[in-house]
Amino acid sequence: MEAKVEKRKSLFQRFLDGVERVGNALPHPVTIFFILCLIVMVVSHICYKMGVAVDCTKIDKETKEVTNSVVSVVSLLTPEGIRYIFENAVKNFTSFAPLGTVLVAMLGVGVAEGTGLISTLIRKLVLSTPKSLITAVVVFAGIMSNIASDAGYIVLIPLGALIFASFKRHPMAGIAAAFAGVSGGFSANLVIGTIDPLLAGLSTEAARMVDPTYSVNPMSNLYFMFISTFLITILGTLITEKIVEPRLGEYKGSMDELKLDKISKEEKKGMKFAGLSLLVLLIGTILLVAPKGAILRHTETGSIIEHSPFMNGIVFVIMMYFLIPAVAYGIGAGTIKNDKQVVSAMSKAMAGMGGYLVLAFVAAQFIAYFNYTQLGTIIAVKGAAGLKAMKFTGIPLIVAFIIVTGFINLFMGSASAKWAIMAPIFVPLFMRLGLSPELTQVAYRIGDSTTNIISPLMSYFALIVTVSQTYDEDSGIGTIISTMLPYSMIFLVGWTMLLMVWFALGLPLGPSAPLHFPI
């Protein structure tokens, strides 16, 4: 009997394994974030003593006013800094953006799980979707989820694991595919989302530093982002199936698999009830949003997308879109007999979030400390100044700008906060070199999106770690970074190449959005 020869791993696979080993050899993620808090304290004090400061031109996200100021590092080890640590520990936790978002949405998701609605929907998906398309479906759904703000992080990433497990594939690959679509493909979409008007407003104010009449349309990147959706879907699918899943190997964890029996008569009745309730919800939403002067439009501008009650309350909307159909399904399928069962399902969902709450508390402190010390702003301005000093032009400048943006994104997660600092530097610079603000904005969005998935400063990173530990209790930050690194690298290269081809062909980036600015 011949001995089984183990296939030799490629250099890249060995590199990823090394990243994972080093990352997971570190302490528990909670301890890691605690250590990072200590590092920020020490570094902030050293920089404070050295007098590290930068001249910063920034655009206010609300008023759109351009301000100039000197930004200095703030120490956490001065008396004032120590008082900040003690006085803001609770506030940092309760104001941690993903915390309320996750918990509120999970109330609805928990009922959907408890009644069996999610199980039935996934079985329906598995029985009706060709196996060869399921990866693409998950990645594409992740990209499109950006329309509903952060919904993809809360809903789609956990579902990605369940969907892959239903196909008897590694659930971690499902998490990776969904995470790649939701976060790595953050700026790609078939329609404009909440980030488009925000970035366009900041780009407009930066452009007016050169041309006071210039205006950047919120749809100015639509054509490019539309095509990017298909590029990221294809790349995400190939990376998952050719790199990530083979590296993960066969899943050996203990998990209850979904039974792939046909949908029963009771379940079909429940689906009908859920479908009717969903139709009522849709009609109600349309009535609250669509008509001119509707209740959930912005009271002054009439906008549905930008700063509207609808988008500000999207998490509550998501919860209702899970909760009401789930209850209707439970009544139809007979899995809900009374209100106590609904509350029990919600309680069970909250009980399962214990580990996330602990991790979120420490992660919230770390991110708050990093913002308080101004280290993120210093890195952003220094990085931008370094690139500007290189005096690149044309395509080399665009490529270098994308890479620098991706690097800065590792330290400053908010897309709008970074752009508020970088736009006043690079939009005028690019305009004086004959490149349009719309092109600068697209290049920024590529760099900003592609490194989200490997940055611990990304606000939902703690949630991804928690979801991953559901299927692999030994997984940690090293596991996530090593799994997502291929997506980050290949998305960065592939997306940049698409922009280079677009630039060479001279195609408009969106309606009335040229590539060039007349000098």
Side-chain angles (χ1 to χ4, degrees):
M1 190 171 178
E2 295 182 5
K4 199 172 185 179
V5 180
E6 186 178 345
K7 187 178 179 181
R8 182 176 174 81
K9 291 184 177 181
S10 67
L11 180 62
F12 184 58
Q13 291 284 11
R14 295 200 298 274
F15 166 70
L16 294 178
D17 289 345
V19 171
E20 181 173 9
R21 281 194 300 272
V22 171
N24 289 347
L26 297 172
H28 190 280
V30 170
T31 310
I32 292 175
F33 277 110
F34 176 75
I35 293 170
L36 288 173
C37 288
L38 297 178
I39 291 172
V40 171
M41 291 179 191
V42 173
V43 171
S44 70
H45 194 67
I46 292 172
C47 292
Y48 167 76
K49 286 293 186 181
M50 293 174 61
V52 175
V54 293
D55 293 322
C56 180
T57 302
K58 188 175 181 180
I59 301 172
D60 189 279
K61 290 188 286 184
E62 298 297 330
T63 65
K64 300 297 188 290
E65 291 183 0
V66 180
T67 59
N68 296 288
S69 61
V70 176
V71 176
S72 304
V73 174
V74 180
S75 172
L76 281 165
L77 295 180
T78 59
E80 184 180 350
I82 293 171
R83 283 193 288 268
Y84 169 83
I85 292 172
F86 278 82
E87 292 176 350
N88 290 273
V90 175
K91 183 181 176 182
N92 291 341
F93 179 50
T94 56
S95 62
F96 188 46
L99 182 65
T101 302
V102 170
L103 296 182
V104 171
M106 281 304 296
L107 291 173
V109 174
V111 177
E113 287 180 338
T115 60
L117 174 59
I118 288 180
S119 172
T120 304
L121 286 173
I122 291 177
R123 282 162 53 210
K124 183 77 173 174
L125 176 69
V126 171
L127 293 168
S128 59
T129 305
K131 187 176 181 180
S132 59
L133 294 179
I134 199 63
T135 308
V137 168
V138 170
V139 176
F140 178 76
I143 296 169
M144 295 303 296
S145 72
N146 294 319
I147 299 171
S149 189
D150 297 334
Y153 290 105
I154 310 155
V155 176
L156 192 65
I157 291 174
L159 283 181
L162 290 173
I163 291 169
F164 268 53
S166 301
F167 277 90
K168 297 183 179 179
R169 297 171 64 181
H170 204 299
M172 287 291 290
I175 292 172
F179 189 22
V182 172
S183 201
F186 179 69
S187 278
N189 218 303
L190 301 182
V191 296
I192 66 168
T194 54
I195 194 67
D196 294 89
L198 185 55
L199 295 182
L202 296 172
S203 298
T204 295
E205 296 307 315
R208 287 178 178 174
M209 296 169 70
V210 175
D211 180 354
T213 64
Y214 205 94
S215 181
V216 178
N217 190 314
M219 298 178 67
S220 61
N221 296 157
L222 181 60
Y223 300 160
F224 183 80
M225 292 306 166
F226 185 95
I227 299 300
S228 296
T229 303
F230 300 101
L231 172 71
I232 297 301
T233 300
I234 293 168
L235 291 178
T237 301
L238 292 174
I239 296 164
T240 303
E241 296 182 349
K242 303 298 183 183
I243 299 176
V244 172
E245 207 162 5
R247 178 172 172 269
L248 289 170
E250 183 182 352
Y251 181 63
K252 297 178 181 178
S254 58
M255 187 183 71
D256 296 329
E257 294 185 5
L258 294 170
K259 296 178 181 178
L260 299 182
D261 300 331
K262 289 184 178 180
I263 309 299
S264 69
K265 188 184 295 184
E266 292 78 12
E267 289 169 334
K268 286 181 180 178
K269 184 180 178 182
M271 292 286 282
K272 286 180 181 178
F273 277 44
L276 288 172
S277 69
L278 184 60
L279 179 61
V280 172
L281 273 174
L282 285 171
I283 293 171
T285 304
I286 291 169
L287 291 175
L288 289 170
V289 172
K292 187 177 181 181
I295 294 172
L296 294 184
R297 282 178 177 263
H298 192 286
T299 53
E300 295 178 4
T301 65
S303 172
I304 298 174
I305 299 294
E306 190 172 11
H307 302 303
S308 68
F310 175 69
M311 292 310 301
N312 290 340
I314 194 68
V315 176
F316 180 72
V317 173
I318 292 167
M319 184 197 77
M320 297 304 290
Y321 268 76
F322 273 94
L323 178 61
I324 293 176
V327 172
Y329 172 86
I331 294 171
T335 57
I336 284 183
K337 305 297 182 183
N338 53 56
D339 62 306
K340 292 179 182 178
Q341 290 179 301
V342 176
V343 176
S344 177
M346 289 181 171
S347 300
K348 185 178 179 182
M350 290 298 101
M353 298 304 294
Y356 172 68
L357 291 174
V358 175
L359 183 55
F361 175 79
V362 189
Q365 307 307 319
F366 167 58
I367 293 173
Y369 292 173
F370 204 82
N371 291 334
Y372 175 81
T373 59
Q374 302 280 17
L375 286 172
T377 301
I378 299 285
I379 291 170
V381 174
K382 290 282 189 182
L387 175 58
K388 186 177 179 180
M390 293 178 185
K391 296 183 179 179
F392 286 143
T393 58
I395 289 178
L397 173 62
I398 296 170
V399 174
F401 176 57
I402 292 171
I403 294 171
V404 168
T405 301
F407 173 74
I408 293 173
N409 190 50
L410 296 174
F411 304 95
M412 195 173 185
S414 171
S416 58
K418 280 196 307 296
W419 193 227
I421 294 170
M422 296 178 70
I425 299 172
F426 288 106
V427 169
L429 172 64
F430 276 53
M431 290 173 75
R432 292 187 180 101
L433 294 172
L435 302 175
S436 72
E438 292 84 356
L439 176 62
T440 313
Q441 184 176 285
V442 158
Y444 168 77
R445 296 177 76 170
I446 292 172
D448 173 67
S449 296
T450 51
T451 54
N452 280 335
I453 47 184
I454 58 171
S455 171
L457 275 167
M458 197 273 292
S459 55
Y460 283 92
F461 202 84
L463 176 64
I464 308 305
V465 173
T466 303
V467 174
S468 299
Q469 288 177 340
T470 304
Y471 302 97
D472 180 3
E473 61 183 16
D474 295 325
S475 67
I477 290 178
T479 304
I480 304 302
I481 292 178
S482 65
T483 301
M484 302 312 299
L485 193 58
Y487 295 101
S488 185
M489 295 169 64
I490 295 172
F491 281 4
L492 182 64
V493 173
W495 218 342
T496 302
M497 289 177 65
L498 175 64
L499 183 58
M500 296 303 96
V501 172
W502 203 282
F503 185 83
L505 295 176
L507 301 174
L509 296 163
S512 303
L515 293 168
H516 300 281
F517 176 78
I519 302 175

